[in-house]
Amino acid sequence: MQPTTLFDKLWSRHAVLEHPVAGTLLYIDRHLAHEGSRNAFSLLRRRGLKVRRPDLTTAIVDHYAPTTSRDLAHVEVASRRQIIADLATNAEEAGISLLDLAHPSQGIVHVIGPELGLTRPGMSIVCGDSHTATHGAMGALAFGIGASQVAHTLATQTLWQKKPKQMRITVKGRLRPNVTAKDMTLAVVARLGAAGGTGYAIEYAGPAVEALSVEGRLTLCNMTIEAGARFGLIAPDQTTFDYLRERAYDGDEASWQAQVGDWSTLRSDEDAAFDKEVEMDAASLKPMITWGTSPEDGIGVDGVIPDPATINDAARRNSKIAALEYMGLAAGTAIEDIRFDRVFIGSCTNGRIEDLRAAAATIAGRKAVIPAMVVPGSMAVKAQAEREGLDRIFTEAGFEWRLSGCSMCAGMNGDLGRTGERCASTSNRNFVGRQGAGVRTHLMNPAMAAAIAITGHPVDISEVRP
Amino acid sequence: MNPFTSLAATGLPLGLENVDTDQILPARFLSLKPEDGYADYCFRDLRFDADGKPVTGNPLTSGDYAGAPILVAGANFGCGSSREGAVYALQHFGFRAVIAESFGDIFYQNALVNGMLPIQANGETIRAILARLQENPGTSIHIDLETQTVRVDGSVTFGFVIDSFKKHCLLNGVDEIGFTLAFAADIERYETRVGI
């Protein structure tokens, strides 16, 4: 038999049919819908169509969720209040289960999917959000779609797709202390460039990837779209199975073993061919930080801002010059000399319990010198952090301890920085205006963001930690 | 969906690399309904400064390119967020086609299903078109989907690649949901077979 990749296996499992012109009709096992699905529901309504499988769809309030209150009446902007209310109305009318503001399992869609066992190996998963590749970390075929494809999924539970090219990124060796999955993904995006993965599905493999916890793997796959690829995935293994068993399994031993037996086949065959292979060395990776307005602009924290004048291509050179101007930075400046005004810890990239533990461990009794906000990725993460006393570490250091949601990562719920402020952020995008008009965003891992909160500038974490 | 067959019109030389969908339609406008119109919000922060004054020296605010229906951009246009509102905003602003060196995957799909044609051209071609439009703002660009060709008056002529299914849908205004519903029996059979 022809050797196949993990992606091939997931793809063929979900092929309803092959059409000579339209491509593969893929079945969607799980559809996660947030407030932005409103346009798709409107489209269905205009056409008089019903939701085909409400039982395979889950609705979650995350993008517009206020992080200071769970009372919708406290959302001041009418259009935001309305879009949250519309999700509830649409879910109720269609018979879709809803995790609304007040639900104890509410959280960012890419955090709660794995947490609640909605995400499982072998599934196909879509969401109207570009960071849906996050779920690929569990060995699922997961990808982000736009509103029209959300409507298509609601109406048919399928999508027409043409198989993308495939890339494998093998990360060898071991990460050094204080270097995290976030640094790995920033290094991948820097290596490939913001469009380097366009048209590809990316499988992450190798000892350094296998050594990551499930949460680290979710972080790694989360930013796949920042390299242009819609799909990021990792073969499920014992780490994945243990994670699921612990959180989201209440069946008997025999059916669990049967399931694990099936999931264990979800891996690329030894001789499977990829269209592109990339190798990286984990031991050479440093804590990363971005300096520009594209996630591809990541460098080691001990580095200096590169000089865009040396770029040959004019369009690229001008883009990077404009980025430095927006960021208020000069080529040659040492990263450690950059002074910050604000810190955001959270998001579907780094809002999980391990992220909050890493941030809390860095504070060690010191006080924040700039405004800092911690937004847990879900209410379950928040509860766990409070059981561990992390909330007190944050609040005693002067950090704000908020309720879960996308918050300053998406910039839609009103949590924003002020014009001209420089923000240390554990999120996934440093785009112009992403965290507020004129706000300068630097992406980094949670421990680094916490260190910046207590020192005001990037530092070697090992010197801050007790 | 409105069909797209051909278009002969002027172009706007945006240039720039990695224009993300947050630039095309900033997040703060996403809670507004597209039915009420997104034209004012399209490239809002590239067109207006923090005080709401128009930014000068920018093709988006220059009278030379006002109303041009073809946008010409650099590599990785429409990267980032999956917001389909970015496509609505471009359409409401008056764009019917975008010629770029490359596109974000999700934006590219979103454009096609809304009848806006994304055309990929190599870097050299993009540079030639940008230069021509900067020197002669009234230059006509002739796009023909059937033959998959673009001719820029006084400049380049080139062919472009498009998926055959997407081309068929654009030329005939085919709606994908309607197309797929014809396969309902296959979908049911799949559901029975895998037990979902």
Side-chain angles (χ1 to χ4, degrees):
Chain A
M1 230 168 49
Q2 183 85 8
T4 56
T5 65
L6 165 60
F7 188 81
D8 293 331
K9 292 179 168 82
L10 293 170
W11 186 273
S12 61
R13 277 188 181 206
H14 295 94
V16 172
L17 64 92
E18 299 291 339
H19 186 278
V21 184
T24 308
L25 187 63
L26 281 184
Y27 196 82
I28 305 302
D29 295 329
R30 181 80 69 203
H31 180 190
L32 303 167
H34 58 78
E35 302 96 302
S37 62
R38 181 171 66 186
N39 292 339
F41 280 101
S42 307
L43 206 147
L44 285 198
R45 206 167 282 126
R46 283 201 296 276
R47 306 213 15 192
L49 293 167
K50 282 198 161 146
V51 176
R52 179 183 173 85
R53 292 295 300 266
D55 58 321
L56 302 183
T57 311
T58 304
I60 305 110
V61 176
D62 62 0
H63 281 66
Y64 292 89
T67 55
T68 49
S69 163
R70 292 284 98 151
D71 186 346
L72 189 58
H74 291 166
V75 177
E76 282 174 21
V77 178
S79 64
R80 290 184 201 143
R81 204 162 53 235
Q82 191 61 48
I83 201 167
I84 296 173
D86 287 345
L87 181 69
T89 309
N90 287 327
E92 194 176 330
E93 273 181 20
I96 293 168
S97 67
L98 170 71
L99 304 179
D100 64 8
L101 280 181
H103 199 286
S105 298
Q106 183 272 348
I108 305 170
V109 51
H110 309 311
V111 175
I112 63 146
E115 196 171 78
L116 298 176
L118 293 170
T119 306
R120 285 165 185 258
M123 277 186 164
S124 56
I125 300 173
V126 297
C127 175
D129 188 278
S130 60
H131 293 108
T132 306
T134 308
H135 307 263
M138 314 280 295
L141 183 76
F143 56 108
I145 55 177
S148 294
Q149 292 193 318
V150 168
H152 192 284
T153 306
L154 289 170
T156 71
Q157 205 58 33
T158 62
L159 283 173
W160 292 104
Q161 294 285 307
K162 299 253 162 93
K163 205 174 195 176
K165 290 181 286 184
Q166 296 184 56
M167 183 190 307
R168 176 162 59 189
I169 298 180
T170 305
V171 191
K172 298 191 162 165
R174 279 172 62 172
L175 288 173
R176 294 187 305 181
N178 300 322
V179 181
T180 68
K182 179 62 165 289
D183 305 301
M184 197 189 282
T185 188
L186 285 171
V188 166
V189 177
R191 166 87 176 261
L192 297 181
T198 302
Y200 284 93
I202 298 178
E203 179 180 345
Y204 299 97
V209 173
E210 288 162 21
L212 292 174
S213 67
V214 165
E215 297 199 356
R217 296 175 188 190
L218 292 164
T219 300
L220 177 62
C221 287
N222 176 270
M223 286 189 63
T224 305
I225 189 69
E226 310 313 335
R230 281 191 302 154
F231 305 87
L233 61 165
I234 296 171
D237 60 9
Q238 197 57 45
T239 304
T240 322
F241 309 147
D242 291 346
Y243 174 96
L244 280 166
R245 178 91 206 221
E246 191 186 318
R247 283 154 201 264
Y249 189 74
D250 52 11
D252 60 72
E253 185 60 28
S255 43
W256 173 257
Q257 289 305 335
Q259 211 159 41
V260 167
D262 174 49
W263 291 342
S264 302
T265 66
L266 296 172
R267 48 186 52 252
S268 293
D269 297 333
E270 197 101 334
D271 306 324
F274 288 80
D275 299 289
K276 187 171 180 180
E277 295 260 18
V278 174
E279 265 193 31
M280 292 175 64
D281 173 22
S284 71
L285 299 181
K286 295 170 178 168
M288 300 282 287
I289 182 165
T290 60
W291 54 267
T293 56
S294 166
E296 72 182 9
D297 299 329
I299 55 173
V301 69
D302 58 350
V304 297
I305 310 264
D307 186 357
T310 61
I311 300 171
N312 280 328
D313 181 73
R316 188 168 178 80
R317 183 170 63 243
N318 292 337
S319 292
K320 296 304 178 193
I321 289 171
L324 276 189
E325 196 173 315
Y326 178 83
M327 295 299 288
L329 292 170
T333 305
I335 290 288
E336 296 194 346
D337 290 340
I338 300 173
R339 289 296 179 273
F340 282 79
D341 305 303
R342 184 176 290 278
V343 172
F344 168 69
I345 296 172
S347 86
C348 60
T349 317
N350 279 134
R352 299 181 182 83
I353 191 67
E354 290 174 11
D355 300 317
L356 303 194
R357 285 176 190 146
T362 309
I363 296 172
R366 295 174 67 175
K367 300 278 185 204
V369 296
I370 50 177
M373 181 201 281
V374 185
V375 182
S378 71
M379 292 307 278
V381 169
K382 179 171 182 285
Q384 177 63 30
E386 288 171 356
R387 277 194 292 277
E388 297 177 19
L390 304 184
D391 58 320
R392 285 197 311 280
I393 295 175
F394 288 121
T395 53
E396 281 165 15
F399 289 57
E400 284 189 73
W401 179 245
R402 297 285 187 95
L403 304 163
S404 71
C406 297
S407 184
M408 273 190 82
C409 177
M412 295 181 195
N413 76 334
D415 293 347
L416 295 169
R418 297 203 188 97
T419 303
E421 278 185 340
R422 188 177 300 289
C423 182
S425 181
T426 67
S427 56
N428 42 48
R429 286 188 175 136
N430 50 357
F431 295 162
V432 169
R434 178 85 175 179
Q435 297 190 304
V439 175
R440 296 148 170 171
T441 303
H442 295 261
L443 306 176
M444 63 192 72
N445 74 43
M448 180 68 67
I452 288 176
I454 56 175
T455 63
H457 64 96
V459 290
D460 181 345
I461 305 294
S462 55
E463 287 172 19
V464 187
R465 279 200 175 161
Chain B
M1 183 175 81
N2 292 324
F4 186 108
T5 50
S6 64
L7 176 65
T10 53
L12 186 151
L14 182 67
L16 301 180
E17 262 200 344
N18 293 331
V19 173
D20 55 71
T21 54
D22 276 76
Q23 295 303 294
I24 302 170
L25 179 64
R28 62 186 184 277
F29 303 118
L30 280 177
S31 63
L32 304 175
K33 294 184 175 176
E35 298 91 290
D36 298 331
Y38 278 173
D40 286 351
Y41 318 131
C42 183
F43 288 121
R44 181 76 181 196
D45 297 335
L46 286 176
R47 294 194 292 130
F48 298 95
D49 66 17
D51 303 322
K53 293 200 189 87
V55 174
T56 53
N58 174 338
L60 287 163
T61 51
S62 158
D64 288 349
Y65 306 104
I70 302 170
L71 183 64
V72 185
N76 207 21
F77 184 83
C79 61
S81 159
S82 60
R83 62 190 66 169
E84 197 161 304
V87 174
Y88 311 151
L90 290 169
Q91 289 182 312
H92 295 177
F93 195 75
F95 294 117
R96 294 191 55 209
V98 183
I99 304 176
E101 193 174 337
S102 61
F103 291 91
D105 272 349
I106 304 177
F107 174 88
Y108 187 86
Q109 298 299 326
N110 288 344
L112 288 170
V113 292
N114 284 286
M116 188 172 78
L117 182 62
I119 296 173
Q120 195 173 351
N122 64 37
E124 199 182 335
T125 302
I126 293 292
R127 283 190 290 278
I129 304 173
L130 289 172
R132 172 75 195 182
L133 293 178
Q134 280 151 5
E135 285 159 26
N136 300 280
T139 298
S140 266
I141 301 174
H142 306 261
I143 299 171
D144 186 58
L145 178 56
E146 182 61 52
T147 58
Q148 297 175 216
T149 53
V150 176
R151 178 167 59 80
V152 181
D153 278 355
S155 181
V156 290
T157 295
F158 63 97
F160 61 92
V161 174
I162 183 169
D163 175 77
S164 51
F165 178 55
K166 299 297 181 187
K167 178 178 175 179
H168 167 79
C169 291
L170 277 173
L171 285 172
N172 302 291
V174 173
D175 164 79
E176 270 192 41
I177 295 179
F179 178 84
T180 310
L181 289 173
F183 297 96
D186 296 273
I187 298 171
E188 268 171 46
R189 263 198 301 280
Y190 176 91
E191 287 171 326
T192 308
R193 178 164 68 79
V194 305
I196 195 163

